[in-house]
Amino acid sequence: MTIVQAPIRIGVAGLGRAFSLMLPTFLRDPRIVLAAACDPREAARAQFARDFAAPVYADIEALVDDAAVEAIYIASPHQFHAAHTRLAAGRGKHVLVEKPMALTMDECDDMIEACRAAGVYLIVGHCHSFDTPYLQARKLIESGEVGAVKMIQALNYTDYLYRPRRPEELLTAAGGGAIFSQAAHQVDIVRLLAGSRATRVRSVIGNWDSARPTEGAYSALLWFDDGVFASLTYSGYGHFDSDEWCGWVCEMGAPKNADDYGQARRKLSGVQSPEEEARLKNAGTYGGPAYRPPGSDEVEEPLRKHQHFGPVIVSCECGDLRPLPDGISVYGDAIREHRALAPPAVPRFEVIDELYAAMTAGQKPLHDGVWAKATLEVCLALLRSGREQRDVSLRYQVGSGG
C-alpha cells in the first residue's frame, strides 16, 4: 500500500449538495488540496476551475485517470457510489465516499473487495458518528467512569422531506427517502455509542405525504448482543424541530433562528413540477445562481459549535450521557455537570483526521467499508421490518468498542 505525504490531493466526484457541505472543511484544513473535480453540470465545473485553478472533467473516468489525484471524494448520487468506487480503486486511488455506502449489500462487498485488491483505503463519511461530541462520549464510556451502556435514545425532527429534491430522491428504490439519507447517520451514532454488535431490529415506517412518495419518518428498536437496546426516531415532515432541544444549534453547528419556522415548506409551495424542483435544488448547490459560498452566512466562527444529529441520551450503569453541540452533559448518581468542548476550528475535521491517519500513517479507519456495510444492513432491515411488520435479524455487524 502506498503511503502518501501531506497535503492529500483530492479529486471530487460530484459537486452537488454533499460537496457543498464538505467544502468548508476542504477549504480550511491544510492537510487537503482540491486537485480536480468532475460533474455533469457545466456551471459547477466552471466554478470549480475558477475557485481552485484545477482541472475539471465531465465524467469520473477522466477524473480517476488524473495522475495528480491521490484520493477520490465520491459525492455523487447514492446509486453511483459502487460503480464510482470501483473505478477509483481500479486506478489506485484511495476512496472517501459519502453515506450511504451503497444501496445493496452486494454493492458493499464489491466496493470492499475492489479497494482491498487495489491496496487502497475505503472510508465512508461524512456520517455524524464522526462528530466530536459522539466520539468523546464513546471515550468516556470506554474509560469506565459511567459503567456499561444499557440503553440509548436518539431522535431527530427536521424539514428533510421538504427541501428541494431531484425525482429519484423521492423514490426509495433509487436510494431516496429518510432511511437511506438520514437513518444512516442515526444508526451510525447509536452503533458507535453502544460499542457491541447489533443483532436485530424492529421498525415502523411513516410515509404520509402522497406528493412526496417515500419514507419521511420511522421509529425503531435496535438490540445488541450484550443486552444494550436503542430506540431511534426520525421525522422529516417539517413540523416540530428538535434543534429546539439542542439550544437552537442547527445540524451544521451554526445558530438557528426559531422564527424561520416553516421556511422549507413555504419555499417548496410555489414549485409546479418535479423538473422545476430539481432546477431549484441545482440553483442552490455549488455552481448554481443561488449558491452561497462558505463564509457568506455571516456567522462568526466562535459562535459555531460541533455538528450533531438531534438529541441523544445514553443510559449507563452509573449515569446518563447527553452529547450536545458544545459538550457532553453527564448525569451521575449525585452530580450533574456539563463538560464543555472547544468549538471546532475546522468543521468536520474528524473526517480528515481519519483519512489523513490512514493515508499517511497506515492507521486502520473506524468508518471503513466493513463498518459502513453494517450500517447499511441495519437501514435495509429497517425498511424490511416496516414492510413485513416483524423483527429482522442482522448478520454482518461489527462493534466499535475495543
Side-chain angles (χ1 to χ4, degrees):
M1 180 177 295
T2 301
I3 302 297
V4 303
Q5 299 299 315
I8 297 168
R9 297 181 59 82
I10 285 183
V12 181
L15 297 173
R17 176 169 169 77
F19 170 70
S20 298
L21 294 177
M22 277 297 294
L23 182 54
T25 305
F26 293 145
L27 290 174
R28 300 196 60 179
D29 197 313
R31 297 171 293 181
I32 295 298
V33 170
L34 291 179
C38 71
D39 194 278
R41 294 176 299 131
E42 183 177 357
R45 297 197 303 271
Q47 179 159 347
F48 190 93
R50 290 193 304 270
D51 289 347
F52 303 104
V56 291
Y57 308 100
D59 57 64
I60 192 171
E61 288 82 0
L63 176 66
V64 298
D65 281 336
D66 190 323
V69 170
E70 296 168 304
I72 303 292
Y73 168 51
I74 297 174
S76 50
H78 304 162
Q79 62 267 34
F80 300 118
H81 287 182
H84 289 178
T85 294
R86 288 194 297 270
L87 283 169
R91 301 298 194 280
K93 315 295 187 184
H94 300 280
V95 175
L96 173 64
V97 59
E98 272 290 332
K99 61 80 194 165
M101 179 180 178
L103 299 183
T104 70
M105 299 295 281
D106 285 345
E107 287 180 328
C108 291
D109 289 338
D110 288 347
M111 295 163 72
I112 293 167
E113 175 56 25
C115 290
R116 186 206 62 77
V120 299
Y121 284 108
L122 170 62
I123 296 174
V124 182
H126 175 259
C127 274
H128 278 290
S129 64
F130 280 97
D131 296 348
T132 289
Y134 305 122
L135 295 176
Q136 290 300 314
R138 182 65 214 165
K139 286 185 178 180
L140 199 160
I141 292 165
E142 290 173 338
S143 76
E145 178 182 343
V146 290
V149 177
K150 294 298 182 181
M151 177 178 73
I152 303 170
Q153 290 186 314
L155 64 85
N156 202 8
Y157 283 67
T158 77
D159 59 7
Y160 159 78
L161 201 61
Y162 295 93
R163 302 167 196 165
R165 298 290 170 196
R166 299 184 307 273
E168 68 267 25
E169 293 180 281
L170 298 174
L171 298 173
T172 305
I179 301 296
F180 283 119
S181 289
Q182 303 298 297
H185 287 300
Q186 205 170 46
V187 169
D188 240 43
I189 292 166
V190 167
R191 291 181 55 232
L192 175 83
L193 295 171
S196 58
R197 295 180 302 168
T199 58
R200 61 190 171 98
V201 64
R202 180 67 183 264
S203 72
V204 181
I205 306 295
N207 188 331
W208 306 322
D209 185 344
S210 60
R212 319 289 285 174
T214 188
E215 298 80 23
Y218 59 83
S219 279
L221 277 175
L222 183 61
W223 288 269
F224 294 83
D225 62 8
D226 58 358
V228 176
F229 60 95
S231 63
L232 298 78
T233 294
Y234 183 88
S235 172
Y237 281 99
H239 294 126
F240 175 66
D241 184 346
S242 57
D243 288 341
E244 179 177 340
W245 292 348
C246 293
W248 287 117
V249 175
C250 77
E251 181 180 342
M252 297 298 108
K256 175 180 278 190
N257 185 354
D259 293 334
D260 288 339
Y261 180 84
Q263 188 177 63
R265 282 176 176 268
R266 287 193 297 273
K267 186 175 182 180
L268 198 62
S269 65
V271 173
Q272 301 299 315
S273 69
E275 294 75 20
E276 184 181 351
E277 184 173 347
R279 288 194 295 271
L280 181 63
K281 176 170 185 173
N282 285 338
T285 56
Y286 187 81
Y291 172 71
R292 299 178 66 190
S296 62
D297 56 7
E298 300 179 355
V299 176
E300 295 291 334
E301 288 305 319
L303 294 178
R304 287 193 178 273
K305 308 203 182 287
H306 292 278
Q307 298 187 9
H308 71 91
F309 201 69
V312 175
I313 302 173
V314 187
S315 295
C316 303
E317 290 175 312
C318 306
D320 291 347
L321 306 178
R322 188 178 173 200
L324 290 163
D326 63 349
I328 303 170
S329 289
V330 182
Y331 304 81
D333 291 339
I335 297 175
R336 179 188 67 188
E337 63 176 329
H338 184 72
R339 301 184 186 181
L341 293 169
V346 177
R348 297 186 176 183
F349 70 91
E350 305 94 338
V351 178
I352 308 305
D353 283 351
E354 206 161 303
L355 178 66
Y356 188 81
M359 290 182 60
T360 65
Q363 182 173 316
K364 183 181 183 299
L366 168 63
H367 296 87
D368 62 7
V370 174
W371 172 269
K373 175 186 173 182
T375 288
L376 180 67
E377 182 188 25
V378 176
C379 292
L380 293 172
L382 287 173
L383 288 169
R384 183 177 179 184
S385 176
R387 287 194 309 266
E388 300 178 3
Q389 299 183 39
R390 65 177 182 87
D391 292 5
V392 173
S393 296
L394 303 167
R395 298 175 54 197
Y396 302 104
Q397 296 298 297
V398 293
S400 66

